[in-house]
Amino acid sequence: MARAGLTGERLAQAGAELADEVGFEQVTVSALARRFGVQVASLYSHVRSSHDLKTRIATVALSELADQAAAALAGRSGRDALTALANVYRDYARAHPGRYAAARFTPDASAPGLTELVKAGRRHSELTRAVLRGYELPEPAQTDAIRLLGSVYHGYVTLELAGSFGHSSPTSDESWPRVLDALDSLLRNWPERQLS
């Protein structure tokens, strides 16, 4: 018998917490049932599968990240906004490594909950575009810049979490502001698109 109070939202939140503890890839409906002390079958009235659960966890992570980014960006522009957004991603990844991994989850096109996940993902694109308004980049340069920023943030954070920067000087914390300075400089001097 399922415990009273179990909902899809509560399971997604508990799954997000579990992801931070054991890693996103280890989160399953079975693992979550053990956490709540219930039979696996009792959870299937709230989530359809482990894939559905992971989609919901990804939505939790993307929504949390977007909320934190929106708060950090309020009233900022230019390099200040760029730094605020970058720090939100880095700090979130450090505090919630499982959720951060979930934010990169790509569900099947037919996955339940995909609409909410897509909405949360679009918020990130809109927040990055808000940062880029301070650099006055036209399209398609904005799209190129969004891809660049996402790649740098994610690449740096992923390598840092894996310990890749812990074996040499300067420290990762010393390099981070220099990386952001380089991004700021690049955005201020974005190359014109060459016509072919």
Side-chain angles (χ1 to χ4, degrees), residues 156-170:
Y156 195 96
V157 165
T158 300
L159 290 169
E160 183 178 46
L161 288 176
S164 298
F165 301 146
H167 308 292
S168 62
S169 293

Side-chain angles (χ1 to χ4, degrees), residues 50-90:
S50 287
H51 194 83
D52 178 26
L53 176 62
K54 287 186 174 188
T55 302
R56 290 170 185 252
I57 295 167
T59 302
V60 166
L62 283 172
S63 297
E64 287 176 349
L65 258 170
D67 290 346
Q68 290 179 22
L73 290 175
R76 298 175 190 237
S77 64
R79 190 193 188 293
D80 193 30
L82 176 75
T83 300
L85 182 63
N87 286 336
V88 164
Y89 282 103
R90 186 173 182 231

Side-chain angles (χ1 to χ4, degrees), residues 106-158:
T106 305
D108 297 335
S110 62
L114 183 61
T115 302
E116 292 305 311
L117 182 65
V118 169
K119 283 182 191 175
R122 283 191 183 132
R123 284 184 67 200
H124 289 272
S125 178
E126 292 164 6
L127 290 164
T128 305
R129 283 186 191 278
V131 169
L132 294 175
R133 279 196 288 276
Y135 293 96
E136 300 179 5
L137 294 179
E139 275 297 356
Q142 278 190 24
T143 299
D144 295 339
I146 287 170
R147 291 172 180 164
L148 172 71
L149 293 178
S151 297
V152 171
Y153 298 163
H154 178 63
Y156 195 96
V157 165
T158 300

Side-chain angles (χ1 to χ4, degrees), residues 9-81:
E9 293 77 24
R10 186 169 176 216
L11 293 174
Q13 191 62 45
E17 293 165 8
L18 185 60
D20 286 339
E21 293 168 18
V22 301
F24 180 62
E25 292 304 318
Q26 303 305 313
V27 176
T28 62
V29 175
S30 297
L32 205 53
R34 284 190 299 276
R35 185 178 192 97
F36 282 101
V38 299
Q39 296 295 315
V40 173
S42 66
L43 298 187
Y44 283 118
S45 60
H46 305 290
V47 294
R48 295 181 187 179
S49 63
S50 287
H51 194 83
D52 178 26
L53 176 62
K54 287 186 174 188
T55 302
R56 290 170 185 252
I57 295 167
T59 302
V60 166
L62 283 172
S63 297
E64 287 176 349
L65 258 170
D67 290 346
Q68 290 179 22
L73 290 175
R76 298 175 190 237
S77 64
R79 190 193 188 293
D80 193 30

